[in-house]
Amino acid sequence: MPAEKKRNLVEPGRAAEIPSVDRLLNARAFQPLLTQHGRTQVVAELRTHLDSLRHAALAGGPGPTALAADVIAAAVAAKLAQAARLTLRPVFNLTGTVLHTNLGRALLPDEAVRAVAQALTAPVNLEFDLQSGRRGERDGVIEKLLCELTGAEAAMVVNNNAAAVLLMLSVLANRREVLVSRGELIEIGGSFRLPDIMRRAGAKLVEVGTTNRTHLSDYAQALSPRSALLMKVHTSNYAISGFTKSVTLAELVELGRARGVTVAVDLGSGSLVDLTRWQLPREPTVRETVAAGADLVTFSGDKLLGGPQAGLLVGRGELIRKLRKDPLKRALRVSKLTLAALEAVLALYRAPEFLADRLTTLRLLVRSPAQMQAQAARLRPRLQGALGEAYQVADAPMFSQIGSGALPIDQLPSYGLAIRALKGKRGSLERLDAALRALPRPVISRMAEKTLWLDLRCLEACDEAAFDTQLGELRP
Ligand SMILES: *Cc1c(COP(=O)(O)O)cnc(C)c1O
């Protein structure tokens, strides 16, 4: 071995030969790293790396380690790249749940992405009236559109639907009573529990009726001078069936009008269009809820509506104005990014005939099983090839869910890949699941019935190549 090369190896007791930080930083191999990551980061990673080389040398070493500047630079570069990778990363949602809260719910259409990018990089007339040149109303950006799309008198927006309900209860029912049917006392995703929000808002919950049956007379008897709200909550993540009775919104509105008590509805998902138009399960629309006489309606922006995280409130002008004036509204207000995205998404609803094309959430919900079946047939041999003989991959029909509490019992026929582990050949679904999550763009699947299900509903054609390409890196 030439003398030059030999000096680049650490041998036991030769830690002194490890090059200095200064010398390495001047080496040509380090210049691109300094330009990309900056001196502080490079020096920190380099020190750590040199320390580990020193330890290896003193301990007799796990064999000789190259000390050439370019070898050290490559090791440091890999560490820097890893540290620079963002924690929040895109994944493939193959869980079959379209609006998956843990994976960020609705995906936004390009129109919204462009609007957000614009609002991020240029000043915008967020609270500025271009006509008068005076201060404007933040929610003005979306109020006109929301009123047009729902038939409501007025509208506003806060951070999410939980915030909308909190604001409504705090402002309209503090130290007063709110009547809710026992069949509608919901918990959503463990963190939104109506009784808890009620307490936080300083409102007193008055439970009406029983879990399975509530009559109008139950509400009528519970009303008192302390009653502030008659509230209806859309039981979005469960269904009560069998011997049941609930009061319709129209009946509740009649009672509210007669006794002078405001009627509020938490719609949860709150669709702006009738989904049966696309053969999807029926979900009450905001417009029909307003038309039925609700004084206030709250719903989420990132569920069926297909927009950004937001809580929308629509209803009577005088009530919305009261909510808007409250200091809590200031604390719950949304950013210009949310407003920009929301306006662009709402604008799509003005042409409902194109919605199934343009609104990402709806496009995923209406994908044809035949399309997904063809996709499964293409991907099955690719995945089988990547997994080898320890696993058996089949294309299979399955069922997707809308998710986020919308239409909990309705399932959408879908298609995808079903993987079983062949125990005799040392296959393990847990290991495979972990390997899928370790891919450059992690794949999130669903495990049930000793099978790993990859539902292809949310793998649109434009993403298929990226999914396919990284299969080569799968190491189960
Ligand atoms: C989802 C949901 C909420 C909470 O909405 P977020 O936008 O997630 O805060 C509240 N009420 C109902 C009925 C819901 O379905």
Side-chain angles (χ1 to χ4, degrees), residues 37-118:
H37 299 282
R39 198 179 163 84
T40 314
Q41 293 294 320
V42 174
V43 169
E45 284 297 350
L46 178 56
R47 289 227 154 94
T48 312
H49 186 68
L50 293 183
D51 274 350
S52 68
L53 287 181
R54 231 165 260 131
H55 276 293
L58 291 175
T65 311
L67 289 185
D70 51 353
V71 175
I72 295 177
V76 171
K79 285 273 172 53
L80 285 167
Q82 206 171 12
R85 199 169 68 173
L86 294 178
T87 311
L88 191 65
R89 284 187 289 153
V91 302
F92 286 109
N93 172 13
L94 303 193
T95 60
T97 301
V98 177
L99 296 169
H100 200 303
T101 299
N102 305 146
L103 302 180
R105 290 194 186 161
L107 304 178
L108 296 204
D110 289 342
E111 288 84 347
V113 174
R114 278 197 298 273
V116 170
Q118 226 163 47

Side-chain angles (χ1 to χ4, degrees), residues 27 132 140 455:
S132 67
D455 188 319

Side-chain angles (χ1 to χ4, degrees), residues 105 160-162 186 188 192 233-234 236 266-269 300 302-303 310 404:
R105 290 194 186 161
N160 53 29
N161 189 28
I186 58 162
I188 286 163
F192 179 91
V233 183
H234 186 49
S236 46
D266 173 10
L267 257 193
S269 219
S300 291
D302 56 354
K303 293 185 179 174
S404 281

Side-chain angles (χ1 to χ4, degrees), residues 93-161:
N93 172 13
L94 303 193
T95 60
T97 301
V98 177
L99 296 169
H100 200 303
T101 299
N102 305 146
L103 302 180
R105 290 194 186 161
L107 304 178
L108 296 204
D110 289 342
E111 288 84 347
V113 174
R114 278 197 298 273
V116 170
Q118 226 163 47
L120 270 171
T121 48
V124 287
N125 55 331
L126 178 65
E127 289 182 6
F128 187 83
D129 183 348
L130 290 174
Q131 241 156 29
S132 67
R134 301 219 177 107
R135 190 175 187 285
E137 177 61 53
R138 179 173 286 241
D139 294 352
V141 173
I142 46 90
E143 182 170 24
K144 215 167 130 253
L145 258 174
L146 264 177
C147 291
E148 176 190 320
L149 297 170
T150 63
E153 254 173 51
M156 61 186 283
V157 53
V158 288
N159 191 45
N160 53 29
N161 189 28

Side-chain angles (χ1 to χ4, degrees), residues 346-369:
L346 290 174
L348 295 181
Y349 279 89
R350 302 183 85 183
E353 65 271 41
F354 305 130
L355 214 50
D357 245 353
R358 297 179 183 169
L359 188 70
T360 315
T361 299
L362 188 58
R363 193 169 65 235
L364 294 173
L365 291 176
V366 303
R367 273 192 86 188
S368 83

Side-chain angles (χ1 to χ4, degrees), residues 138-399:
R138 179 173 286 241
D139 294 352
V141 173
I142 46 90
E143 182 170 24
K144 215 167 130 253
L145 258 174
L146 264 177
C147 291
E148 176 190 320
L149 297 170
T150 63
E153 254 173 51
M156 61 186 283
V157 53
V158 288
N159 191 45
N160 53 29
N161 189 28
V165 173
L166 175 70
L167 178 68
M168 175 177 82
L169 294 173
S170 305
V171 177
L172 303 181
N174 188 256
R175 292 159 169 272
R176 297 180 66 197
E177 295 177 353
V178 180
L179 279 61
V180 185
S181 161
R182 286 201 169 85
E184 299 173 3
L185 287 174
I186 58 162
E187 165 176 321
I188 286 163
S191 54
F192 179 91
R193 305 182 88 200
L194 197 61
D196 295 345
I197 299 244
M198 201 74 82
R199 201 170 310 119
R200 210 73 182 84
K204 179 160 188 285
L205 169 66
V206 176
E207 299 180 18
V208 170
T210 62
T211 305
N212 59 333
R213 289 173 73 84
T214 301
H215 305 267
L216 191 62
S217 57
D218 295 326
Y219 286 99
Q221 278 159 23
L223 277 172
S224 84
R226 293 176 305 279
S227 307
L229 286 178
L230 284 162
M231 186 172 176
K232 235 181 141 39
V233 183
H234 186 49
T235 55
S236 46
N237 58 356
Y238 67 98
I240 297 179
S241 59
F243 184 57
T244 64
K245 164 90 177 80
S246 63
V247 172
T248 65
L249 177 58
E251 290 173 305
L252 208 57
V253 165
E254 205 180 303
L255 177 65
R257 294 264 157 84
R259 304 282 287 266
V261 178
T262 303
V263 176
V265 180
D266 173 10
L267 257 193
S269 219
S271 184
L272 291 179
V273 280
D274 181 0
L275 296 174
T276 57
R277 173 179 182 151
W278 296 279
Q279 286 77 50
L280 287 168
R282 226 196 88 73
E283 175 85 353
T285 68
V286 180
R287 180 180 286 280
E288 67 200 27
T289 309
V290 169
D295 298 307
L296 265 182
V297 185
T298 75
F299 53 103
S300 291
D302 56 354
K303 293 185 179 174
L304 279 174
L305 195 148
Q309 179 189 303
L312 302 156
L313 294 112
V314 304
R316 288 218 329 264
E318 111 207 39
L319 293 172
I320 295 286
R321 276 192 296 280
K322 206 163 159 187
L323 298 187
R324 205 177 261 159
K325 279 208 308 250
D326 196 89
L328 192 55
K329 160 65 165 73
R330 171 62 180 79
L332 301 175
R333 82 177 184 194
V334 295
S335 76
K336 62 181 177 178
L337 308 188
T338 301
L339 282 170
L342 194 56
E343 184 185 17
V345 168
L346 290 174
L348 295 181
Y349 279 89
R350 302 183 85 183
E353 65 271 41
F354 305 130
L355 214 50
D357 245 353
R358 297 179 183 169
L359 188 70
T360 315
T361 299
L362 188 58
R363 193 169 65 235
L364 294 173
L365 291 176
V366 303
R367 273 192 86 188
S368 83
Q371 210 179 46
M372 296 180 267
Q373 185 171 10
Q375 207 173 14
R378 280 194 299 276
L379 289 171
R380 192 200 60 77
R382 306 276 309 153
L383 186 59
Q384 184 68 74
L387 292 182
E389 56 173 17
Y391 299 90
Q392 186 188 57
V393 184
D395 30 356
M398 50 192 76
F399 287 97

